[in-house]
Amino acid sequence: LYWIPRILSIIFICVLFLMSLDVFGLGLNFWQTFVAFFMHSIPALFLLIVLVISWKYEIVGGVVFILAGLVYIALLTRNQFEWYMLSWAIQISGIAFLIGILFLVGWFKKK
């Protein structure tokens, strides 16, 4: 139970970084691509910092990953709803919720 949320977090953050690579196919110049890649990588960088902190303080990982899932759903609902967005919410937010819950379970067990 100690390693599962940490390993899932690493995989989840790597997937988020991979999804930010889509900016390289847009035909932008170097600086536009650099800025776009950085902007798309901000959530993954933020979660990477949270993972480092939550390696010792599991409550931080539990709360922040659950909040990250809620923020993603909130940002997704700002646009006009389409049914395929539901699969996005389940894939991204569901994994974030699972990781957050696992961190909280580990924190409760340690406590």
Side-chain angles (χ1 to χ4, degrees):
L1 192 60
Y2 179 82
W3 287 104
I4 294 173
R6 288 157 178 81
I7 292 171
L8 285 177
S9 304
I10 292 169
I11 294 169
F12 182 59
I13 291 168
C14 288
V15 167
L16 290 179
F17 269 122
L18 283 174
M19 291 194 322
S20 64
L21 292 175
D22 66 344
V23 298
F24 289 105
L26 297 177
L28 304 173
N29 66 31
F30 174 76
W31 289 110
Q32 289 173 329
T33 304
F34 178 77
V35 170
F37 179 70
F38 178 73
M39 294 298 289
H40 284 234
S41 298
I42 288 175
L45 291 171
F46 175 73
L47 289 178
L48 183 63
I49 292 168
V50 169
L51 175 62
V52 169
I53 295 169
S54 64
W55 208 278
K56 184 171 183 174
Y57 305 105
E58 292 173 323
I59 185 73
V60 174
V63 170
V64 173
F65 272 94
I66 290 172
L67 285 176
L70 291 173
V71 166
Y72 182 75
I73 289 173
L75 291 174
L76 200 61
T77 59
R78 288 178 50 197
N79 299 327
Q80 184 177 358
F81 179 76
E82 298 289 334
W83 283 105
Y84 63 86
M85 291 180 179
L86 188 60
S87 68
W88 294 354
I90 291 170
Q91 291 172 8
I92 303 295
S93 297
I95 295 170
F97 290 149
L98 175 67
I99 292 169
I101 290 169
L102 287 173
F103 269 122
L104 288 176
V105 167
W107 178 70
F108 280 123
K109 284 193 94 164
K110 188 182 352 178
K111 196 176 159 187

